[in-house]
Structures are given as structure tokens and as C-alpha cells.
Amino acid sequence: MTREEKAQVIEDLADKLSNSPYFYLTDSSSLTVENINKFRRLCFQSGVEFRVVKNTLLQKAMERIDASTYEGLFVSLKGSTSIMFAEQGNVPAKLLKEFRKNFDKPVLKAAYIDSAIFTGDDQLDALVALKSKYELIGEVIGLLQSPAKNVVSALQSGGNKLAGIVKTLQEKNN
């Protein structure tokens, strides 16, 4: 790889990193070509971009953006590294978990989720449990609607009770 090609890869990675609030670093080194292609297909179907990267180029791209932001990830840049970019924070974790039902790899090295860094494969379950922005918004809307629904329900049932009382009093007077 020439110096110009390396510079272009660093520039591309830096651009992608600065525009992606969610990415995962994985180790998929021992997967066969057939299995890695299955995983790539699964990623593509889920809207996740998967690519193998050189550790030094990835670190230079991170340093170009802001070394202090990604400093916690530098210890994970050893051995074979693949990077997964996603639009939602938990989608790559779900893909890894699903794929690892049949295979030992890819192993999670680290994840960057909205400026939070998760390191180690033991964090995979926590990452799967993360809720997306849209799921959280849906829960908040549901919680906000709940008191209003209770008030409307109480008023409707109260109205029925009041009508029943009035009817009973009217029948009693007759």
C-alpha cells in the first residue's frame, strides 16, 4: 500500500468515524472465508457496514479527529480488527450475538456508543440490552400518555356512576 493510499484510507476512516456515533471493533480472524461472507451478508441485510481495517491506520484516523475521545479504544487495537458502523447502537451487538449462536467469532473487542466506550467481549449482553433512540422516545411518549388516559378513564367512569346515581334517585322519587 502506497503512502497516498494509506492517507486516503485514514481520511475515509476519519470521515466515517466523525459521522458515526456508533461503531464496534471486533476480531474475526479465525473465521473461514465462507463464514465471514455469511456474516458480511447478515450485516448488509441489517444496514451495518462491516470492514477489516489495519490497526495503525484506524488509530491514526482516530487521532486525526480527537485522540482523547478514542483513547480508551487504543488498547483494543491489537491483532486482527474489523469495524462495524451502524445507525443504531444495539444492532451490531444483536448481530454478533445471533451469529455466535453457531460460531465462536467475531469476538467483541470494544464498542463506541455516543461517546461511551465498552471494552471486552463480556460487554456484549449489556450492548444488546441498549435501547435505540426511537425505543426510548416511544417509552417516554407512552409514559406521558398514561396519566392523561387515567384521567379520561376516571372521568368517563365517574360520569357513568353519576348517571347511575341520578337515575336511581329519580326512580326512588317516583
Side-chain angles (χ1 to χ4, degrees):
M1 188 178 272
T2 66
R3 191 171 276 198
E4 291 80 24
E5 290 172 332
K6 288 180 183 179
Q8 184 61 45
V9 169
I10 291 170
E11 188 63 36
D12 291 345
L13 281 171
D15 183 48
K16 192 72 177 169
L17 289 170
S18 63
N19 293 323
S20 290
Y22 315 110
F23 63 86
Y24 286 57
L25 302 177
T26 63
D27 177 9
S28 56
S29 58
S30 65
L31 286 175
T32 64
V33 172
E34 179 184 353
N35 292 338
I36 199 72
N37 285 338
K38 285 180 185 176
F39 186 68
R40 284 180 190 270
R41 210 171 299 116
L42 189 64
C43 288
F44 179 76
Q45 291 168 351
S46 299
V48 174
E49 182 182 337
F50 177 84
R51 64 168 95 158
V52 177
V53 294
K54 289 187 175 255
N55 292 326
T56 54
L57 299 180
L58 181 57
Q59 184 168 345
K60 287 181 182 183
M62 289 176 176
E63 289 171 348
R64 180 173 288 179
I65 298 169
D66 183 10
S68 63
T69 302
Y70 300 110
E71 192 172 14
L73 296 171
F74 294 163
V75 295
S76 301
L77 298 178
K78 291 179 177 42
S80 175
T81 302
S82 306
I83 190 164
M84 300 170 72
F85 294 103
E87 295 295 320
Q88 295 180 9
N90 63 354
V91 173
K94 289 178 180 179
L95 286 173
L96 289 169
K97 189 132 179 131
E98 179 67 28
F99 194 75
R100 286 182 37 194
K101 288 180 181 176
N102 301 320
F103 304 98
D104 293 340
K105 298 259 181 152
V107 174
L108 177 68
K109 293 168 104 177
Y112 181 84
I113 310 293
D114 272 336
S115 74
I117 295 174
F118 298 83
T119 54
D121 196 52
D122 58 331
Q123 298 291 317
L124 190 59
D125 290 330
L127 291 166
V128 168
L130 284 178
K131 297 193 180 205
S132 73
K133 175 177 149 182
Y134 302 111
E135 290 170 329
L136 290 173
I137 290 172
E139 283 185 11
V140 168
I141 290 172
L143 290 171
L144 291 173
Q145 287 179 340
S146 180
K149 286 181 181 177
N150 291 341
V151 168
V152 169
S153 175
L155 289 174
Q156 287 176 341
S157 69
N160 293 340
K161 285 181 185 176
L162 186 59
I165 292 171
V166 170
K167 185 176 182 184
T168 305
L169 287 174
Q170 183 182 17
E171 289 173 358
K172 190 176 185 182
N173 288 337
N174 289 337

